Amino acid sequence: MKMTSIAVLVSAMFGMAASASAATSDEVATLQQQMAALQQQMVALQNKLNTVAATPAPAPAPAPSGAAAEPLTAHVGGASVTLYGFADLSADATSNGKEHLNQVSSNLSYLGVRAEKDLGGSGLKAIAQVETLVNVSGTPTETSGLGSRNSYVGLAGSFGKIMLGKTDTPYKRATAMMDPFASSIGDYNTIMGNTGGDLRAEFDARIPHAIFYDSPKWSGFSINALYSPGQKYANLADSDKYAFAQGEKVCSGATPGSSGSLPDPGSTLCNDGAFTNAYSIAGAYEQGPLLLTLSYERHQAVDRSSDNGGVVSNESAAKAAVSFHARGNRLSAVYEKFYRNGGVAPGLNERARSGYYLSDVQDLGNGLDLMAAWAHAGQTPGGPDFGAADDKANMYAVGMKYHYDKQTALYMTGALLKQGAGAHYALGAGGHGTAIASPRNDAGDNIPGQTIKALSAGMQYAF
């Protein structure tokens, strides 16, 4: 209340007194005493209001620990558009059995924009996403160009979602949450989804030029499916247009920068893992603490003619997995089987084997998790480089992660890869910024059978 309003009120009260001139002198005296007391009360009230106005407002209470950050969302043309991102960097000390190397790695850090818009009263939504790998610690290349990660446009409704673009395959997504060491030196893609060793996680892939569908949940059941047509034409002699799928600068079926991602020097052919069509499907049942999954993926007419005795044949993979989460503990198990058919001599076939994976995450309280995992690659029928030598391998990983809140985490991980005399796998094959691969000799050939190990400390921040 301002002093001007008090003065008006006092004047009005005195005016009322003046109009009462016909009243007795005792009544007038009593009325004047009451108005004087009222004026004193209003002056005291005004002083109190002035004191309150001069006192700074208290700072807002901090958000409780673990509270989710508000996403940066804007409304454009009736659509909800959200910016999001994730940064994961680590300092690593590594040994590939021949050399020691310290490094700083950017591990699948990314930046993305997603949008959705209601389409009137149809019950449908238009959806879109553009997500890009961000090489935080290294020099950006075409692998971190705009839209290098899951990016699409599509429709969503009561039927689920159908999209066009590129995405992690249903086969890959089926067990992704069972790997607590994802994109670290202990990533299960050292062995799981990995055909032929090195960085070839060909059945844990992001497929471009795809049509894909995600169902809603029906009483705990769900299904995801993908079809990617025409990834590669048939090779023709003396032709330079059959190396890549249309619109691509790397061979299909390969991780950019890894073996098989580009034709050999002087060649125009993608003949080390490229395929024509891809099919992927996964089914899941999730109820309470239990998750069960079955998944299958097929790559058609995979060109391995660069291998010794190599041929063009179909390659596929199937896996079954279970995860159970109760009392702060999540235990997961995966069994995987690779198949290859079509005229492959057994002694030259290193891409048909079994794989096993176990992981355990224990919530110790106060934001601290203890993690452990084991992966095993079974014996293959043989290999084009090392024949029938023992190519079994075991990967062990242990780690701790401290979740400061839902956005921020610190972690430390140790991993060890023990290999048979003919095995040549790599730690961190699933997206760790700098994987620790088996060493090579002066001619560029793999030196198999090495024990590879690494220790990593890092930080993650999501927004």
Side-chain angles (χ1 to χ4, degrees), residues 97-386:
K98 296 293 184 182
E99 301 166 306
H100 297 272
L101 181 66
N102 297 328
Q103 60 195 28
V104 173
S105 299
S106 177
N107 311 311
L108 290 189
S109 301
Y110 56 82
L111 184 67
V113 178
R114 66 170 61 99
E116 64 176 43
K117 179 179 181 178
D118 289 322
L119 300 179
S122 64
L124 298 177
K125 288 184 179 180
I127 56 174
Q129 177 173 295
V130 177
E131 189 174 286
T132 295
L133 180 71
V134 180
N135 195 342
V136 181
S137 64
T139 303
T141 65
E142 69 277 5
T143 61
S144 55
L146 187 64
S148 57
R149 286 176 54 85
N150 296 349
S151 302
Y152 56 80
V153 65
L155 290 173
S158 59
F159 60 88
K161 297 186 290 186
I162 186 164
M163 294 152 282
L164 296 171
K166 63 176 164 289
T167 187
D168 293 339
T169 65
Y171 187 88
K172 175 180 180 177
R173 288 189 286 153
T175 56
M177 59 78 63
M178 301 181 190
D179 179 14
F181 297 97
S183 77
S184 78
I185 56 172
D187 194 307
Y188 75 169
N189 289 141
T190 291
I191 289 173
M192 307 306 291
N194 191 317
T195 67
D198 300 322
L199 308 183
R200 299 183 182 186
E202 294 168 324
F203 285 97
D204 197 89
R206 178 177 299 109
I207 298 290
H209 310 290
I211 306 165
F212 43 104
Y213 168 73
D214 291 349
S215 80
K217 283 188 177 181
W218 302 294
S219 301
F221 291 93
S222 61
I223 189 168
N224 311 102
L226 174 146
Y227 167 56
S228 178
Q231 281 293 297
K232 182 177 182 295
Y233 292 108
N235 292 325
L236 294 181
D238 301 320
S239 172
D240 63 357
K241 76 173 191 175
Y242 294 97
F244 310 113
Q246 294 285 59
E248 293 298 313
K249 296 299 183 184
V250 297
C251 299
S252 61
T255 302
S258 69
S259 175
S261 63
L262 296 173
D264 291 331
S267 172
T268 60
L269 306 178
C270 283
N271 58 2
D272 185 17
F275 52 78
T276 56
N277 301 321
Y279 310 84
S280 185
I281 189 168
Y285 173 75
E286 187 172 11
Q287 197 67 254
L290 179 66
L291 171 64
L292 300 170
T293 70
L294 290 172
S295 51
Y296 173 81
E297 186 166 316
R298 176 184 176 91
H299 300 165
Q300 188 172 351
V302 182
D303 192 336
R304 301 287 185 189
S305 55
S306 66
D307 285 354
N308 295 327
V311 298
V312 176
S313 62
N314 297 326
E315 296 181 3
S316 58
K319 62 183 172 182
V322 58
S323 185
F324 190 79
H325 190 185
R327 295 184 179 180
N329 184 266
R330 186 175 75 239
L331 182 64
S332 303
V334 183
Y335 170 73
E336 182 173 54
K337 178 68 176 176
F338 296 143
Y339 301 90
R340 192 178 182 195
N341 59 331
V344 184
L348 303 174
N349 183 5
E350 68 177 348
R351 294 181 175 83
R353 64 163 178 83
S354 296
Y356 306 85
Y357 182 71
L358 291 174
S359 70
D360 187 50
V361 180
Q362 177 64 56
D363 181 355
L364 300 179
N366 297 316
L368 192 63
D369 289 343
L370 178 64
M371 308 175 293
W374 166 75
H376 173 73
Q379 178 71 32
T380 73
D385 295 322
F386 308 111

